[in-house]
Amino acid sequence: MSTTYCVSYGSYYAYLNTGNLPTVDVEIKRFNDMEISVKFRESLRGKHLFVFGEVVNNLNELIMTLDAAKRCSVSEITVVLPYFGYSRQDKREGTRGCIGAKAIAHVIESMGIDRVISIDLHASQIQGYFQVPFEHLSGIKIFEYALKERMADIWDDVLFATPDAGGTLRALKFASACYSKQIVTINKRRDKPGIVSSMELTGDVMDKHIIIVDDIGDTCGTLSKASDLLIANGAVKTYAIVTHPVLTGEAVKTLRNSSISTVLMSDTLDAVSKIKAVQKTERFGETAIQIISCQRLLETAIREIAADRSISHLN
Ligand code: R5P
């Protein structure tokens, strides 16, 4: 197997710092009718190529990149999806609906890829939608250091919280990575997508600092409402960790004006430009939003995989 490798960031991930990864020169053209054409400007023959992709708005670009790579006789292709879009569609919607995550997996795998890397899947069973190996990296590895550094003085009074039942395992993993802290759970109900209709808290949060752990921040209504509930039940302060900043509509404003004191957010999607856009145009509240990049985690995973070394310490 080839030990040389290179990375194609594509147009969407241009904001990610490429660090020391050897990037490949690729031309992505768009025609007037929005068709996309991708061409590599250097030889990739015999190389292990890591292709970064985003599937909600940029699936066509990913498909064309994979097609070009295959035709360049690469030896191996690993698709890197920092955020696996459609992951909230992990089962059939009603009796006549699609399974979005499975359809996306099918399309990507049909391009003849060898492996997929992603971080904090909304539903970990999505790994099984692929026949090829799926490397599921843990978001804890992005936030662990920042969290321990910022919370050092108050650890004895910190608890983790999940804002919905589906996130219980994720919150438990964070808690055990950070000195075996306990968690409290919130039971969230939605009557329609994007609107939280009710929340119930299980556990005592009186006089505690609570870190809310969520995989996705979309409208950020979940985080904001969860924080209000925790504060109303006696929490001293709340903090939030968001792996995937989907940030639609008024999300940044909702966070800024929430009762959360600090939000740590990764950049598996381009959060920075959305946050900056709000700073430029709007008055906003006091909540601090800090970006902790996923770049180092991905770079480590890419180096280990390219060298055929274990990545269990990143799961
Ligand atoms: C839901 O199950 C996810 O884990 C997130 O809590 C949800 O997608 C967040 O959505 P929003 O930010 O729109 O409340």
Side-chain angles (χ1 to χ4, degrees), residues 97-144:
C98 62
I99 306 179
K102 169 66 189 158
I104 295 291
H106 180 71
V107 169
I108 293 173
E109 186 155 24
S110 72
M111 298 308 296
I113 62 160
D114 298 282
R115 182 183 298 95
V116 182
I117 303 177
S118 191
I119 306 172
D120 274 359
L121 284 172
H122 179 66
S124 65
Q125 66 269 22
I126 288 170
Q127 294 168 79
Y129 295 179
F130 290 85
Q131 300 302 314
V132 293
F134 195 113
E135 315 289 3
H136 187 196
L137 310 180
S138 170
I140 296 166
K141 302 294 167 191
I142 303 172
F143 297 107
E144 196 177 359

mmCIF file of all heavy atoms in Angstrom, residues 97-144:
data_model
loop_
_atom_site.group_PDB
_atom_site.id
_atom_site.type_symbol
_atom_site.label_atom_id
_atom_site.label_comp_id
_atom_site.label_asym_id
_atom_site.label_seq_id
_atom_site.Cartn_x
_atom_site.Cartn_y
_atom_site.Cartn_z
ATOM 1 N N GLY A 97 -41.647 7.775 4.089
ATOM 2 C CA GLY A 97 -40.494 8.682 4.016
ATOM 3 C C GLY A 97 -39.190 8.010 3.628
ATOM 4 O O GLY A 97 -39.101 6.785 3.507
ATOM 5 N N CYS A 98 -38.169 8.839 3.444
ATOM 6 C CA CYS A 98 -36.834 8.342 3.098
ATOM 7 C C CYS A 98 -36.010 8.126 4.372
ATOM 8 O O CYS A 98 -36.428 8.503 5.466
ATOM 9 C CB CYS A 98 -36.125 9.370 2.213
ATOM 10 S SG CYS A 98 -35.861 10.949 3.035
ATOM 11 N N ILE A 99 -34.849 7.515 4.204
ATOM 12 C CA ILE A 99 -33.848 7.462 5.282
ATOM 13 C C ILE A 99 -32.646 8.226 4.738
ATOM 14 O O ILE A 99 -31.795 7.670 4.037
ATOM 15 C CB ILE A 99 -33.468 6.015 5.650
ATOM 16 C CG1 ILE A 99 -34.727 5.202 5.995
ATOM 17 C CG2 ILE A 99 -32.480 6.009 6.818
ATOM 18 C CD1 ILE A 99 -34.467 3.749 6.352
ATOM 19 N N GLY A 100 -32.621 9.536 5.012
ATOM 20 C CA GLY A 100 -31.651 10.436 4.381
ATOM 21 C C GLY A 100 -30.204 10.002 4.560
ATOM 22 O O GLY A 100 -29.415 10.007 3.611
ATOM 23 N N ALA A 101 -29.816 9.616 5.790
ATOM 24 C CA ALA A 101 -28.411 9.274 6.058
ATOM 25 C C ALA A 101 -27.991 8.054 5.250
ATOM 26 O O ALA A 101 -26.869 7.978 4.744
ATOM 27 C CB ALA A 101 -28.207 9.028 7.550
ATOM 28 N N LYS A 102 -28.898 7.098 5.110
ATOM 29 C CA LYS A 102 -28.583 5.877 4.347
ATOM 30 C C LYS A 102 -28.418 6.215 2.853
ATOM 31 O O LYS A 102 -27.512 5.699 2.180
ATOM 32 C CB LYS A 102 -29.697 4.844 4.555
ATOM 33 C CG LYS A 102 -29.660 3.647 3.637
ATOM 34 C CD LYS A 102 -28.439 2.776 3.885
ATOM 35 C CE LYS A 102 -28.335 1.712 2.804
ATOM 36 N NZ LYS A 102 -27.004 1.168 2.648
ATOM 37 N N ALA A 103 -29.280 7.103 2.355
ATOM 38 C CA ALA A 103 -29.197 7.483 0.933
ATOM 39 C C ALA A 103 -27.868 8.184 0.648
ATOM 40 O O ALA A 103 -27.193 7.905 -0.352
ATOM 41 C CB ALA A 103 -30.372 8.387 0.562
ATOM 42 N N ILE A 104 -27.463 9.077 1.537
ATOM 43 C CA ILE A 104 -26.186 9.791 1.369
ATOM 44 C C ILE A 104 -25.020 8.791 1.421
ATOM 45 O O ILE A 104 -24.095 8.831 0.594
ATOM 46 C CB ILE A 104 -26.015 10.873 2.472
ATOM 47 C CG1 ILE A 104 -27.072 11.970 2.324
ATOM 48 C CG2 ILE A 104 -24.607 11.463 2.458
ATOM 49 C CD1 ILE A 104 -26.936 12.854 1.108
ATOM 50 N N ALA A 105 -25.080 7.867 2.374
ATOM 51 C CA ALA A 105 -24.017 6.858 2.496
ATOM 52 C C ALA A 105 -23.916 6.049 1.208
ATOM 53 O O ALA A 105 -22.817 5.788 0.697
ATOM 54 C CB ALA A 105 -24.303 5.936 3.684
ATOM 55 N N HIS A 106 -25.067 5.684 0.683
ATOM 56 C CA HIS A 106 -25.097 4.860 -0.535
ATOM 57 C C HIS A 106 -24.447 5.595 -1.712
ATOM 58 O O HIS A 106 -23.635 5.026 -2.443
ATOM 59 C CB HIS A 106 -26.553 4.496 -0.842
ATOM 60 C CG HIS A 106 -26.708 3.652 -2.049
ATOM 61 N ND1 HIS A 106 -26.314 2.335 -2.082
ATOM 62 C CD2 HIS A 106 -27.187 3.934 -3.277
ATOM 63 C CE1 HIS A 106 -26.536 1.845 -3.274
ATOM 64 N NE2 HIS A 106 -27.066 2.793 -4.023
ATOM 65 N N VAL A 107 -24.787 6.864 -1.875
ATOM 66 C CA VAL A 107 -24.238 7.649 -2.991
ATOM 67 C C VAL A 107 -22.712 7.770 -2.859
ATOM 68 O O VAL A 107 -21.971 7.550 -3.818
ATOM 69 C CB VAL A 107 -24.884 9.060 -3.036
ATOM 70 C CG1 VAL A 107 -24.154 9.964 -4.009
ATOM 71 C CG2 VAL A 107 -26.356 8.946 -3.412
ATOM 72 N N ILE A 108 -22.246 8.094 -1.662
ATOM 73 C CA ILE A 108 -20.794 8.284 -1.468
ATOM 74 C C ILE A 108 -20.056 6.964 -1.685
ATOM 75 O O ILE A 108 -19.039 6.894 -2.390
ATOM 76 C CB ILE A 108 -20.507 8.851 -0.056
ATOM 77 C CG1 ILE A 108 -21.068 10.264 0.059
ATOM 78 C CG2 ILE A 108 -19.007 8.852 0.240
ATOM 79 C CD1 ILE A 108 -20.986 10.858 1.445
ATOM 80 N N GLU A 109 -20.593 5.896 -1.112
ATOM 81 C CA GLU A 109 -19.885 4.612 -1.216
ATOM 82 C C GLU A 109 -19.845 4.105 -2.668
ATOM 83 O O GLU A 109 -18.880 3.468 -3.080
ATOM 84 C CB GLU A 109 -20.540 3.569 -0.317
ATOM 85 C CG GLU A 109 -19.751 2.275 -0.280
ATOM 86 C CD GLU A 109 -19.979 1.470 0.990
ATOM 87 O OE1 GLU A 109 -21.036 1.641 1.622
ATOM 88 O OE2 GLU A 109 -19.093 0.676 1.336
ATOM 89 N N SER A 110 -20.874 4.449 -3.425
ATOM 90 C CA SER A 110 -20.928 3.978 -4.819
ATOM 91 C C SER A 110 -19.817 4.600 -5.673
ATOM 92 O O SER A 110 -19.557 4.151 -6.787
ATOM 93 C CB SER A 110 -22.301 4.274 -5.437
ATOM 94 O OG SER A 110 -22.407 5.665 -5.662
ATOM 95 N N MET A 111 -19.131 5.632 -5.148
ATOM 96 C CA MET A 111 -18.036 6.250 -5.904
ATOM 97 C C MET A 111 -16.741 5.454 -5.786
ATOM 98 O O MET A 111 -15.712 5.844 -6.332
ATOM 99 C CB MET A 111 -17.792 7.699 -5.421
ATOM 100 C CG MET A 111 -18.964 8.637 -5.605
ATOM 101 S SD MET A 111 -19.614 8.632 -7.280
ATOM 102 C CE MET A 111 -18.228 9.277 -8.217
ATOM 103 N N GLY A 112 -16.787 4.347 -5.042
ATOM 104 C CA GLY A 112 -15.611 3.479 -4.974
ATOM 105 C C GLY A 112 -14.593 3.912 -3.943
ATOM 106 O O GLY A 112 -13.386 3.735 -4.127
ATOM 107 N N ILE A 113 -15.073 4.459 -2.842
ATOM 108 C CA ILE A 113 -14.162 4.931 -1.783
ATOM 109 C C ILE A 113 -13.702 3.760 -0.904
ATOM 110 O O ILE A 113 -14.282 2.671 -0.962
ATOM 111 C CB ILE A 113 -14.840 6.004 -0.912
ATOM 112 C CG1 ILE A 113 -16.074 5.391 -0.219
ATOM 113 C CG2 ILE A 113 -15.238 7.196 -1.755
ATOM 114 C CD1 ILE A 113 -16.517 6.149 0.981
ATOM 115 N N ASP A 114 -12.685 4.010 -0.066
ATOM 116 C CA ASP A 114 -12.137 2.939 0.778
ATOM 117 C C ASP A 114 -12.471 3.105 2.256
ATOM 118 O O ASP A 114 -12.376 2.151 3.022
ATOM 119 C CB ASP A 114 -10.607 2.904 0.634
ATOM 120 C CG ASP A 114 -10.215 2.590 -0.796
ATOM 121 O OD1 ASP A 114 -10.287 1.420 -1.172
ATOM 122 O OD2 ASP A 114 -9.880 3.539 -1.537
ATOM 123 N N ARG A 115 -12.816 4.312 2.649
ATOM 124 C CA ARG A 115 -12.963 4.559 4.095
ATOM 125 C C ARG A 115 -13.640 5.911 4.309
ATOM 126 O O ARG A 115 -13.531 6.805 3.458
ATOM 127 C CB ARG A 115 -11.563 4.602 4.724
ATOM 128 C CG ARG A 115 -11.472 4.804 6.203
ATOM 129 C CD ARG A 115 -10.013 4.902 6.678
ATOM 130 N NE ARG A 115 -9.266 3.694 6.417
ATOM 131 C CZ ARG A 115 -8.503 3.491 5.334
ATOM 132 N NH1 ARG A 115 -8.347 4.447 4.432
ATOM 133 N NH2 ARG A 115 -7.877 2.356 5.158
ATOM 134 N N VAL A 116 -14.307 6.055 5.454
ATOM 135 C CA VAL A 116 -14.921 7.346 5.820
ATOM 136 C C VAL A 116 -14.451 7.724 7.230
ATOM 137 O O VAL A 116 -14.290 6.849 8.092
ATOM 138 C CB VAL A 116 -16.470 7.258 5.828
ATOM 139 C CG1 VAL A 116 -17.094 8.610 6.167
ATOM 140 C CG2 VAL A 116 -16.996 6.760 4.496
ATOM 141 N N ILE A 117 -14.198 9.020 7.421
ATOM 142 C CA ILE A 117 -13.911 9.542 8.768
ATOM 143 C C ILE A 117 -14.988 10.579 9.086
ATOM 144 O O ILE A 117 -15.303 11.431 8.246
ATOM 145 C CB ILE A 117 -12.550 10.283 8.824
ATOM 146 C CG1 ILE A 117 -11.402 9.388 8.382
ATOM 147 C CG2 ILE A 117 -12.288 10.843 10.210
ATOM 148 C CD1 ILE A 117 -10.042 10.129 8.356
ATOM 149 N N SER A 118 -15.540 10.527 10.290
ATOM 150 C CA SER A 118 -16.439 11.609 10.721
ATOM 151 C C SER A 118 -16.322 11.789 12.234
ATOM 152 O O SER A 118 -15.693 10.972 12.910
ATOM 153 C CB SER A 118 -17.883 11.313 10.304
ATOM 154 O OG SER A 118 -18.686 12.461 10.507
ATOM 155 N N ILE A 119 -16.918 12.872 12.717
ATOM 156 C CA ILE A 119 -16.836 13.193 14.151
ATOM 157 C C ILE A 119 -18.246 13.223 14.747
ATOM 158 O O ILE A 119 -19.168 13.759 14.110
ATOM 159 C CB ILE A 119 -16.192 14.588 14.369
ATOM 160 C CG1 ILE A 119 -14.835 14.674 13.660
ATOM 161 C CG2 ILE A 119 -16.026 14.891 15.855
ATOM 162 C CD1 ILE A 119 -14.221 16.087 13.653
ATOM 163 N N ASP A 120 -18.414 12.723 15.943
ATOM 164 C CA ASP A 120 -19.682 12.792 16.689
ATOM 165 C C ASP A 120 -20.914 12.638 15.791
ATOM 166 O O ASP A 120 -21.713 13.583 15.617
ATOM 167 C CB ASP A 120 -19.788 14.128 17.452
ATOM 168 C CG ASP A 120 -19.110 14.061 18.812
ATOM 169 O OD1 ASP A 120 -18.588 12.996 19.169
ATOM 170 O OD2 ASP A 120 -19.099 15.098 19.515
ATOM 171 N N LEU A 121 -21.107 11.435 15.284
ATOM 172 C CA LEU A 121 -22.323 11.164 14.495
ATOM 173 C C LEU A 121 -23.549 11.382 15.379
ATOM 174 O O LEU A 121 -23.532 10.990 16.553
ATOM 175 C CB LEU A 121 -22.321 9.711 14.028
ATOM 176 C CG LEU A 121 -21.404 9.351 12.888
ATOM 177 C CD1 LEU A 121 -21.380 7.840 12.682
ATOM 178 C CD2 LEU A 121 -21.849 10.042 11.597
ATOM 179 N N HIS A 122 -24.600 11.937 14.802
ATOM 180 C CA HIS A 122 -25.822 12.110 15.587
ATOM 181 C C HIS A 122 -26.347 10.747 16.061
ATOM 182 O O HIS A 122 -26.859 10.628 17.175
ATOM 183 C CB HIS A 122 -26.876 12.829 14.745
ATOM 184 C CG HIS A 122 -28.154 13.026 15.482
ATOM 185 N ND1 HIS A 122 -28.251 13.836 16.591
ATOM 186 C CD2 HIS A 122 -29.386 12.483 15.301
ATOM 187 C CE1 HIS A 122 -29.487 13.797 17.053
ATOM 188 N NE2 HIS A 122 -30.187 12.981 16.294
ATOM 189 N N ALA A 123 -26.210 9.739 15.204
ATOM 190 C CA ALA A 123 -26.631 8.381 15.566
ATOM 191 C C ALA A 123 -25.501 7.442 15.143
ATOM 192 O O ALA A 123 -25.220 7.326 13.950
ATOM 193 C CB ALA A 123 -27.926 8.026 14.835
ATOM 194 N N SER A 124 -24.870 6.786 16.107
ATOM 195 C CA SER A 124 -23.625 6.074 15.764
ATOM 196 C C SER A 124 -23.863 4.873 14.855
ATOM 197 O O SER A 124 -22.934 4.401 14.203
ATOM 198 C CB SER A 124 -22.850 5.689 17.019
ATOM 199 O OG SER A 124 -23.597 4.770 17.746
ATOM 200 N N GLN A 125 -25.109 4.404 14.771
ATOM 201 C CA GLN A 125 -25.388 3.271 13.873
ATOM 202 C C GLN A 125 -25.197 3.622 12.395
ATOM 203 O O GLN A 125 -25.142 2.737 11.546
ATOM 204 C CB GLN A 125 -26.802 2.698 14.098
ATOM 205 C CG GLN A 125 -27.954 3.607 13.754
ATOM 206 C CD GLN A 125 -28.400 4.441 14.953
ATOM 207 O OE1 GLN A 125 -27.634 4.637 15.895
ATOM 208 N NE2 GLN A 125 -29.617 4.950 14.902
ATOM 209 N N ILE A 126 -25.049 4.930 12.096
ATOM 210 C CA ILE A 126 -24.834 5.344 10.702
ATOM 211 C C ILE A 126 -23.552 4.724 10.150
ATOM 212 O O ILE A 126 -23.441 4.476 8.953
ATOM 213 C CB ILE A 126 -24.833 6.895 10.603
ATOM 214 C CG1 ILE A 126 -26.259 7.405 10.811
ATOM 215 C CG2 ILE A 126 -24.270 7.390 9.266
ATOM 216 C CD1 ILE A 126 -26.370 8.900 10.976
ATOM 217 N N GLN A 127 -22.611 4.407 11.018
ATOM 218 C CA GLN A 127 -21.381 3.711 10.568
ATOM 219 C C GLN A 127 -21.737 2.465 9.773
ATOM 220 O O GLN A 127 -21.080 2.115 8.797
ATOM 221 C CB GLN A 127 -20.554 3.268 11.774
ATOM 222 C CG GLN A 127 -19.994 4.389 12.595
ATOM 223 C CD GLN A 127 -19.456 3.870 13.915
ATOM 224 O OE1 GLN A 127 -18.363 3.329 13.971
ATOM 225 N NE2 GLN A 127 -20.233 4.031 14.978
ATOM 226 N N GLY A 128 -22.794 1.782 10.198
ATOM 227 C CA GLY A 128 -23.197 0.523 9.557
ATOM 228 C C GLY A 128 -23.908 0.733 8.233
ATOM 229 O O GLY A 128 -24.221 -0.246 7.542
ATOM 230 N N TYR A 129 -24.184 1.986 7.841
ATOM 231 C CA TYR A 129 -24.816 2.235 6.537
ATOM 232 C C TYR A 129 -23.784 2.077 5.421
ATOM 233 O O TYR A 129 -24.120 2.094 4.247
ATOM 234 C CB TYR A 129 -25.410 3.641 6.468
ATOM 235 C CG TYR A 129 -26.565 3.905 7.416
ATOM 236 C CD1 TYR A 129 -27.170 5.154 7.467
ATOM 237 C CD2 TYR A 129 -27.051 2.917 8.258
ATOM 238 C CE1 TYR A 129 -28.222 5.415 8.329
ATOM 239 C CE2 TYR A 129 -28.092 3.172 9.131
ATOM 240 C CZ TYR A 129 -28.672 4.423 9.161
ATOM 241 O OH TYR A 129 -29.707 4.687 10.013
ATOM 242 N N PHE A 130 -22.485 2.000 5.815
ATOM 243 C CA PHE A 130 -21.397 1.795 4.843
ATOM 244 C C PHE A 130 -20.871 0.373 4.963
ATOM 245 O O PHE A 130 -20.865 -0.201 6.071
ATOM 246 C CB PHE A 130 -20.231 2.750 5.138
ATOM 247 C CG PHE A 130 -20.515 4.197 4.855
ATOM 248 C CD1 PHE A 130 -21.136 4.995 5.799
ATOM 249 C CD2 PHE A 130 -20.141 4.768 3.640
ATOM 250 C CE1 PHE A 130 -21.394 6.346 5.545
ATOM 251 C CE2 PHE A 130 -20.390 6.116 3.380
ATOM 252 C CZ PHE A 130 -21.021 6.899 4.333
ATOM 253 N N GLN A 131 -20.387 -0.174 3.846
ATOM 254 C CA GLN A 131 -19.699 -1.469 3.886
ATOM 255 C C GLN A 131 -18.215 -1.262 4.179
ATOM 256 O O GLN A 131 -17.558 -2.127 4.722
ATOM 257 C CB GLN A 131 -19.834 -2.206 2.540
ATOM 258 C CG GLN A 131 -21.263 -2.496 2.124
ATOM 259 C CD GLN A 131 -21.992 -3.329 3.170
ATOM 260 O OE1 GLN A 131 -21.459 -4.311 3.671
ATOM 261 N NE2 GLN A 131 -23.209 -2.917 3.497
ATOM 262 N N VAL A 132 -17.679 -0.085 3.762
ATOM 263 C CA VAL A 132 -16.248 0.181 3.970
ATOM 264 C C VAL A 132 -16.028 0.618 5.431
ATOM 265 O O VAL A 132 -16.985 1.014 6.103
ATOM 266 C CB VAL A 132 -15.737 1.292 3.010
ATOM 267 C CG1 VAL A 132 -15.772 0.824 1.574
ATOM 268 C CG2 VAL A 132 -16.515 2.589 3.205
ATOM 269 N N PRO A 133 -14.789 0.563 5.915
ATOM 270 C CA PRO A 133 -14.531 0.985 7.304
ATOM 271 C C PRO A 133 -14.949 2.431 7.565
ATOM 272 O O PRO A 133 -14.789 3.289 6.689
ATOM 273 C CB PRO A 133 -13.015 0.834 7.441
ATOM 274 C CG PRO A 133 -12.613 -0.124 6.395
ATOM 275 C CD PRO A 133 -13.575 0.055 5.255
ATOM 276 N N PHE A 134 -15.479 2.663 8.745
ATOM 277 C CA PHE A 134 -15.924 3.996 9.145
ATOM 278 C C PHE A 134 -15.199 4.354 10.443
ATOM 279 O O PHE A 134 -15.347 3.658 11.442
ATOM 280 C CB PHE A 134 -17.438 3.976 9.372
ATOM 281 C CG PHE A 134 -18.053 5.350 9.440
ATOM 282 C CD1 PHE A 134 -18.919 5.785 8.453
ATOM 283 C CD2 PHE A 134 -17.753 6.211 10.489
ATOM 284 C CE1 PHE A 134 -19.484 7.063 8.512
ATOM 285 C CE2 PHE A 134 -18.311 7.469 10.554
ATOM 286 C CZ PHE A 134 -19.176 7.896 9.567
ATOM 287 N N GLU A 135 -14.420 5.401 10.412
ATOM 288 C CA GLU A 135 -13.672 5.836 11.608
ATOM 289 C C GLU A 135 -14.465 6.945 12.292
ATOM 290 O O GLU A 135 -14.569 8.049 11.780
ATOM 291 C CB GLU A 135 -12.281 6.370 11.225
ATOM 292 C CG GLU A 135 -11.511 5.541 10.218
ATOM 293 C CD GLU A 135 -11.015 4.206 10.771
ATOM 294 O OE1 GLU A 135 -11.324 3.900 11.935
ATOM 295 O OE2 GLU A 135 -10.335 3.490 10.027
ATOM 296 N N HIS A 136 -15.052 6.617 13.432
ATOM 297 C CA HIS A 136 -15.923 7.566 14.145
ATOM 298 C C HIS A 136 -15.127 8.234 15.270
ATOM 299 O O HIS A 136 -14.872 7.621 16.300
ATOM 300 C CB HIS A 136 -17.134 6.802 14.702
ATOM 301 C CG HIS A 136 -18.162 7.679 15.303
ATOM 302 N ND1 HIS A 136 -19.164 7.226 16.130
ATOM 303 C CD2 HIS A 136 -18.366 9.028 15.200
ATOM 304 C CE1 HIS A 136 -19.920 8.239 16.512
ATOM 305 N NE2 HIS A 136 -19.470 9.333 15.959
ATOM 306 N N LEU A 137 -14.736 9.480 15.041
ATOM 307 C CA LEU A 137 -13.901 10.189 16.022
ATOM 308 C C LEU A 137 -14.778 10.873 17.074
ATOM 309 O O LEU A 137 -15.892 11.306 16.771
ATOM 310 C CB LEU A 137 -13.028 11.240 15.326
ATOM 311 C CG LEU A 137 -12.224 10.760 14.115
ATOM 312 C CD1 LEU A 137 -11.415 11.922 13.531
ATOM 313 C CD2 LEU A 137 -11.312 9.610 14.496
ATOM 314 N N SER A 138 -14.238 10.986 18.275
ATOM 315 C CA SER A 138 -15.015 11.567 19.365
ATOM 316 C C SER A 138 -14.735 13.061 19.528
ATOM 317 O O SER A 138 -13.582 13.481 19.628
ATOM 318 C CB SER A 138 -14.669 10.836 20.659
ATOM 319 O OG SER A 138 -15.243 11.529 21.733
ATOM 320 N N GLY A 139 -15.821 13.833 19.600
ATOM 321 C CA GLY A 139 -15.707 15.279 19.799
ATOM 322 C C GLY A 139 -15.027 15.633 21.119
ATOM 323 O O GLY A 139 -14.510 16.733 21.286
ATOM 324 N N ILE A 140 -15.032 14.672 22.053
ATOM 325 C CA ILE A 140 -14.371 14.939 23.339
ATOM 326 C C ILE A 140 -12.924 15.354 23.099
ATOM 327 O O ILE A 140 -12.383 16.215 23.789
ATOM 328 C CB ILE A 140 -14.397 13.666 24.218
ATOM 329 C CG1 ILE A 140 -15.839 13.310 24.553
ATOM 330 C CG2 ILE A 140 -13.593 13.868 25.503
ATOM 331 C CD1 ILE A 140 -15.993 11.924 25.102
ATOM 332 N N LYS A 141 -12.320 14.729 22.086
ATOM 333 C CA LYS A 141 -10.905 14.997 21.808
ATOM 334 C C LYS A 141 -10.693 16.446 21.352
ATOM 335 O O LYS A 141 -9.590 16.957 21.403
ATOM 336 C CB LYS A 141 -10.374 14.033 20.742
ATOM 337 C CG LYS A 141 -10.519 12.592 21.133
ATOM 338 C CD LYS A 141 -9.626 12.273 22.324
ATOM 339 C CE LYS A 141 -9.978 10.931 22.926
ATOM 340 N NZ LYS A 141 -9.325 10.698 24.219
ATOM 341 N N ILE A 142 -11.730 17.078 20.859
ATOM 342 C CA ILE A 142 -11.616 18.489 20.456
ATOM 343 C C ILE A 142 -11.672 19.391 21.689
ATOM 344 O O ILE A 142 -10.914 20.342 21.823
ATOM 345 C CB ILE A 142 -12.765 18.888 19.494
ATOM 346 C CG1 ILE A 142 -12.784 17.981 18.266
ATOM 347 C CG2 ILE A 142 -12.679 20.360 19.107
ATOM 348 C CD1 ILE A 142 -13.999 18.192 17.370
ATOM 349 N N PHE A 143 -12.600 19.048 22.611
ATOM 350 C CA PHE A 143 -12.926 19.998 23.685
ATOM 351 C C PHE A 143 -12.266 19.707 25.033
ATOM 352 O O PHE A 143 -12.255 20.572 25.902
ATOM 353 C CB PHE A 143 -14.449 20.006 23.905
ATOM 354 C CG PHE A 143 -15.229 20.468 22.712
ATOM 355 C CD1 PHE A 143 -15.961 19.571 21.944
ATOM 356 C CD2 PHE A 143 -15.226 21.797 22.340
ATOM 357 C CE1 PHE A 143 -16.684 19.993 20.838
ATOM 358 C CE2 PHE A 143 -15.944 22.240 21.238
ATOM 359 C CZ PHE A 143 -16.671 21.331 20.489
ATOM 360 N N GLU A 144 -11.760 18.468 25.191
ATOM 361 C CA GLU A 144 -11.296 18.011 26.505
ATOM 362 C C GLU A 144 -10.299 18.996 27.150
ATOM 363 O O GLU A 144 -10.464 19.421 28.289
ATOM 364 C CB GLU A 144 -10.641 16.646 26.318
ATOM 365 C CG GLU A 144 -10.445 15.876 27.588
ATOM 366 C CD GLU A 144 -9.845 14.495 27.297
ATOM 367 O OE1 GLU A 144 -9.614 14.149 26.125
ATOM 368 O OE2 GLU A 144 -9.597 13.787 28.283
#
